[in-house]
């Protein structure tokens, strides 16, 4: 594979983390326009850990995920009362605040005679963990997909578990969940924190893949795209957002001949799709039917043998 | 002190354009209970169409204004048909995402029309700049304030004193009840979209004529300012939208003066976030929010 293909595939992988993050919140019935903030916080925190404190990368990713997760949980606790559009706009406001603060913050330390660290609008340069260890783009891509697979398995397990049912219950009716004796507040904060962790991991990887992050990348377009991916791919399963990312980013690269008209074609297609499938390609109903079909086939096999 | 008052005056002047944008969001939200993210982009497409005529045929500023209005309304109707009318009533989220992708679509169409980064937009003055005591009133901003005041007054008359206004308010109260009363709700919704597009077109034209230039960032800018101003004032409330717009303008003017340019947007978002956390209903929307919360508790 040449570097170009690797970069595209890696981008798909890294954006998938944000898409999954937005998807997890969609499950609990809230729409966040602001998951890019945690992607950005994760990127800056992880970059600071490896480039400024010279920690190993696993520590960087861990710190990125924790910083993003804690921040997300805090914001989740603050915005607990909000629903619907109020919640969406509050996440948007927070994300823009993070981006604008990162445009101002300048914290640089000297490492090997060079100044390293966030430099306001200039961004955060020289996160050279990959270069210093001679790690190729391809190897880093494997790391991205290994982590993505891990996260995906974890999400699929959560969906099958009690926690997954609780999240979906919160999504359909808060009051009902409350009546069941569930700690609604706690689970909402937990969902927000987990979503932050997901986005933070993506950001940590992104910072090390590009060696350079700037606040402009974490603008609202990233957040709204992340949200749209879940809705295009479908809200029935964690594979939905991944399909959404693959369709968008893959489409962008594959259909070169409509370059420049990409959004006109893609926008129109998605708008039409949403008319016929308002909850995406793999919505709950379709996922349920697919599962049932697989199960029946499995039973037939068992009976046959 | 003089600075403070001058900033406040400037803020109110500029805030009047935010108020018009916020009205666009608030009326659509009131009638459909949905958010139209493509609002800024439809204004942008309209303004680009006007600018296109201006760039290629050097038409008169009034023709530019008319083209902007007509094309904004057409774009608004397109958005209504594709993202709102066609999508099921219970799928508000799909509507929002759909209007988002159409935002991207309209923006790209506009950029194809005029591919460069900035274009001159014809300026449009009615009043000249004048001084009142130590304070300066810039002509184009005064024009904008007057224009906004006229628009708000006209909208108030339309909503409160005509049959169409009554129908619109009925649909916003309860679409089903309105339908039982023989109101053609689909038609009212389409008209609401055309109406807000018209208001948005006027706001867009006034803002661009003040800036005397247009860039591809206009759609994003208009959408955000309108949304923030609406949330500050309280969703679905017309006086709230006006108040929110003016407040946003004043805050931005002061933040820019006292803290610097990079704090202008930051202060606006900080205010919005604090408002949502502490008083989610906005300044004037508290009643609506409170009523919903009460209904929720009663269930």
């Amino acid at each position: 594979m040449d570097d170009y293909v690797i970069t595209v595939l890696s981008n798909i992988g890294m954006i998938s983390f944000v898409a999954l993050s937005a998807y997890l919140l969609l499950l609990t019935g809230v729409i966040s326009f602001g998951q890019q903030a945690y992607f950005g916080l994760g990127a800056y925190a992880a970059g600071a850990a490896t480039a400024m404190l010279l920690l190993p990368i696993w520590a960087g990713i861990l710190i990125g995920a924790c910083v993003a997760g804690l921040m997300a949980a805090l914001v989740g606790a603050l915005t607990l009362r909000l629903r619907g559009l109020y919640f969406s706009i509050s996440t948007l406001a927070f994300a823009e605040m993070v981006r604008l603060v990162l445009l101002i913050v300048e914290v640089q330390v000297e490492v090997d005679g060079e100044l390293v660290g966030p430099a306001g609008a200039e961004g955060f340069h020289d996160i050279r963990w990959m270069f210093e260890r001679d790690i190729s783009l391809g190897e880093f891509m494997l790391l991205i997909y290994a982590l993505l697979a891990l996260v995906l398995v974890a999400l699929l397990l959560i969906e099958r578990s009690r926690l997954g049912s609780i999240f979906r219950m919160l999504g359909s009716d808060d009051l009902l969940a409350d009546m069941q004796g569930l700690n609604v507040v706690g689970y909402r904060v937990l969902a927000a924190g987990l979503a932050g962790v997901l986005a933070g991991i993506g950001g940590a990887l992104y910072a090390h893949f590009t060696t350079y992050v700037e606040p402009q990348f974490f603008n609202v377009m990233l957040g709204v795209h992340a949200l749209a991916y879940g809705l295009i791919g479908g809200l029935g399963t964690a594979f939905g957002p991944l399909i959404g990312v693959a369709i968008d980013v893959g489409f962008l690269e594959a259909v070169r001949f409509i370059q420049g008209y990409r959004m006109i074609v893609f926008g129109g297609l998605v708008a039409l799709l949403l008319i016929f499938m308002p909850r995406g390609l793999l919505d709950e109903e379709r996922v349920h039917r697919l599962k049932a079909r697989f199960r029946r086939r499995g039973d037939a096999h068992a009976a046959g043998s | 002190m003089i600075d403070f008052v001058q900033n406040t005056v400037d803020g109110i002047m500029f805030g009047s354009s935010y108020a018009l944008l916020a009205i666009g969001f608030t009326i659509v939200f009131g009638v459909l209970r949905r958010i139209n993210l493509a609002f800024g982009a439809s204004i942008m497409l309209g303004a680009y169409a006007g600018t296109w005529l201006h760039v290629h045929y050097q038409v008169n500023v009034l023709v530019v204004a008319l083209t902007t209005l007509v094309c904004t309304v057409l774009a608004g109707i397109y958005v209504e048909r594709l993202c709102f009318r066609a999508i099921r009533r219970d799928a508000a989220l799909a509507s929002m995402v759909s209007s988002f992708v159409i935002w991207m679509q309209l923006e790209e169409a506009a950029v194809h029309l005029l591919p460069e980064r900035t274009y001159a937009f014809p300026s449009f003055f009615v009043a000249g700049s004048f001084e009142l005591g130590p304070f300066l009133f810039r002509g184009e901003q005064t024009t904008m304030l007057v224009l906004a005041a006229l628009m708000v007054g006209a909208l108030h008359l339309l909503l409160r004193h005509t049959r169409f206004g009554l129908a619109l308010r009925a649909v916003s109260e309860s679409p089903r009840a309105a339908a039982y009363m023989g109101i053609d709700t689909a038609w009212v919704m389409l008209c609401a979209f055309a109406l807000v597009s018209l208001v948005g077109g006027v706001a867009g034209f006034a803002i661009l004529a003040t800036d005397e230039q247009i860039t591809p960032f206009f759609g994003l800018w208009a959408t955000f300012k309108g949304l923030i101003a609406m949330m500050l004032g309280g969703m679905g409330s017309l006086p709230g939208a006006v108040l929110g717009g003016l407040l946003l303008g004043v805050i931005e003017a002061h933040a820019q003066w006292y803290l610097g340019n990079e704090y202008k947007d930051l202060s606006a978002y900080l205010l919005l976030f604090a408002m949502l956390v502490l008083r989610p209903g906005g300044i004037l929307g508290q009643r609506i929010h409170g009523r919903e919360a009460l209904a929720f508790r009663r269930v």
Side-chain angles (χ1 to χ4, degrees):
Chain A
M1 275 193 281
D2 57 8
D3 280 358
Y4 172 72
V5 178
I6 290 177
T7 309
V8 171
L9 287 177
S10 301
N11 279 334
I12 292 182
M14 291 184 292
I15 300 299
S16 295
F17 282 98
V18 201
L20 286 173
S21 166
Y23 163 78
L24 184 61
L25 284 178
L26 277 177
L27 281 191
T28 67
V30 290
I31 303 154
S32 167
F33 284 147
Q35 294 312 104
Q36 72 274 21
Y38 310 114
F39 189 84
L41 285 171
Y44 269 75
T50 61
M52 292 161 77
L53 305 174
L54 305 176
L55 295 173
I57 188 145
W58 60 264
I61 294 175
L62 198 65
I63 289 175
C66 288
V67 167
L70 287 176
M71 206 60 180
L74 180 70
V75 173
L78 279 175
T79 55
L80 212 55
R81 306 200 268 163
L82 305 176
R83 285 294 171 278
L85 191 60
Y86 292 95
F87 180 88
S88 310
I89 301 295
S90 71
T91 54
L92 173 73
F94 177 77
E96 283 296 283
M97 268 157 61
V98 167
R99 185 175 69 81
L100 294 167
V101 166
L102 287 178
L103 276 173
I104 298 170
V105 171
E106 288 198 36
V107 187
Q108 294 196 299
V109 294
E110 207 174 298
V111 178
D112 296 333
E114 274 184 66
L115 282 176
V116 185
E122 306 257 295
F124 187 166
H125 289 263
D126 294 325
I127 305 171
R128 283 180 303 201
W129 183 85
M130 244 168 82
F131 281 126
E132 280 161 6
R133 282 162 192 74
D134 244 354
I135 288 165
S136 72
L137 289 179
E139 283 163 335
F140 200 81
M141 185 183 79
L142 289 182
L143 173 67
I144 293 173
Y145 275 93
L147 277 174
L148 185 62
L150 213 62
V151 162
L152 198 61
V153 169
L155 270 180
L156 289 173
L157 284 178
I158 286 182
E159 281 193 5
R160 291 176 66 109
S161 72
R162 192 178 128 79
L163 189 61
S165 325
I166 290 174
F167 281 166
R168 281 193 190 271
M169 197 199 290
L170 288 180
S172 54
D173 197 336
D174 257 0
L175 198 69
L176 198 67
D178 205 16
M179 299 284 214
Q180 301 285 318
L182 291 173
N183 178 0
V184 173
V185 170
Y187 281 113
R188 285 230 175 258
V189 174
L190 178 68
L194 281 179
V197 166
L198 290 184
I201 297 174
L205 291 169
Y206 177 81
H208 289 92
F209 186 79
T210 55
T211 73
Y212 154 71
V213 282
E214 60 173 343
Q216 224 46 53
F217 184 76
F218 320 122
N219 64 14
V220 66
M221 284 298 151
L222 177 62
V224 187
H225 271 109
L227 191 66
Y229 292 144
L231 210 59
I232 297 166
L235 298 179
T237 157
F239 288 111
L242 302 190
I243 295 173
V245 179
I247 290 177
D248 183 33
V249 184
F251 193 81
L252 183 154
E253 299 303 332
V255 210
R256 294 244 136 189
F257 65 91
I258 55 158
Q259 198 95 64
Y261 294 91
R262 187 180 78 83
M263 264 334 288
I264 295 183
V265 177
F266 183 68
L269 283 178
V270 173
L272 286 179
L273 172 84
L274 287 173
I275 291 176
F276 299 109
M277 303 176 185
R279 286 180 80 78
L281 282 170
L282 287 176
D283 61 11
E284 288 86 345
E285 209 186 303
R286 230 158 272 131
V287 168
H288 194 74
R289 242 182 298 153
L290 277 175
K291 271 186 190 157
R293 186 174 301 164
F294 274 117
R295 210 170 299 135
R296 229 176 298 138
R297 198 171 294 160
D299 289 348
H301 270 291
S305 66
Chain B
M1 187 57 204
I2 287 177
D3 284 345
F4 186 83
V5 177
Q6 177 75 59
N7 283 332
T8 310
V9 168
D10 287 347
I12 288 176
M13 298 249 185
F14 209 77
S16 61
S17 63
Y18 294 160
L20 287 184
L21 293 171
I23 286 173
F25 279 102
T26 226
I27 290 183
V28 167
F29 183 80
V31 174
L32 287 134
R33 297 276 170 243
R34 292 180 192 189
I35 218 73
N36 173 19
L37 287 177
F39 185 52
S42 37
I43 300 173
M44 176 178 156
L45 186 65
Y48 261 66
T51 316
W52 185 81
L53 280 182
H54 181 68
V55 168
H56 289 281
Y57 300 101
Q58 285 82 38
V59 292
N60 182 296
V61 62
L62 287 175
V63 180
V64 175
L66 201 66
T67 317
T68 303
L69 289 185
V70 170
C71 291
T72 306
V73 170
L74 288 178
I77 289 173
Y78 170 67
V79 171
E80 199 266 350
R81 290 282 117 174
L82 195 58
C83 310
F84 293 87
R85 183 91 200 97
I87 287 178
R88 287 209 318 255
R89 289 234 95 205
D90 58 335
L93 182 58
S95 269
M96 193 164 69
V97 171
S98 179
S99 68
F100 169 70
V101 291
I102 294 306
W103 162 1
M104 300 286 113
Q105 192 189 37
L106 295 179
E107 208 167 274
E108 197 169 87
V111 171
H112 273 290
L113 212 54
L114 296 170
E116 268 160 53
R117 281 183 72 81
T118 37
Y119 285 89
F121 199 83
S123 70
F124 178 72
F125 294 93
V126 176
S129 299
F130 60 94
E131 285 179 33
L132 202 72
F135 308 118
L136 174 72
F137 290 82
R138 287 174 58 204
E140 64 271 31
Q141 290 193 337
T142 316
T143 309
M144 178 126 78
L145 185 67
V146 172
L147 200 62
L150 286 176
M151 292 291 289
V152 171
L155 272 174
H156 179 79
L157 284 180
L158 181 71
L159 289 178
R160 292 282 154 186
H161 298 282
T162 64
R163 281 188 75 84
F164 170 72
L166 190 64
L168 195 109
R169 284 184 291 135
V171 172
S172 125
E173 199 75 24
S174 161
R176 185 182 286 180
Y180 289 159
M181 295 299 119
I183 295 170
D184 185 350
T185 51
W187 173 246
V188 169
M189 284 173 188
L190 185 66
C191 288
F193 254 85
L195 178 68
V196 301
S197 300
L198 197 66
V199 176
V202 172
F205 175 77
I207 293 164
L208 292 165
T210 306
D211 286 351
E212 295 183 15
Q213 60 167 352
I214 185 166
T215 71
F217 298 108
F218 181 73
L220 181 80
W221 181 89
T223 299
F224 272 28
K225 297 299 178 191
L227 264 181
I228 297 176
M230 173 183 78
M231 301 302 289
L232 281 178
M235 284 201 294
S237 147
L238 199 63
V242 175
L243 204 62
L246 298 183
L247 181 68
L248 181 63
V250 171
I251 297 286
E252 285 193 352
H254 283 300
Q256 189 168 20
W257 180 263
Y258 292 108
L259 298 170
N261 215 1
E262 65 267 37
Y263 289 91
K264 183 181 152 194
D265 285 345
L266 185 58
S267 63
Y269 285 113
L270 192 65
L271 178 76
L272 176 64
F273 189 71
M275 174 77 88
L276 283 170
V277 169
L278 300 174
R279 195 182 162 88
I283 306 169
L284 295 183
Q286 192 69 26
R287 227 178 37 232
I288 301 166
H289 189 79
R291 202 193 303 149
E292 271 171 18
L294 196 70
F296 187 67
R297 239 175 276 133
R298 214 182 293 132
V299 175

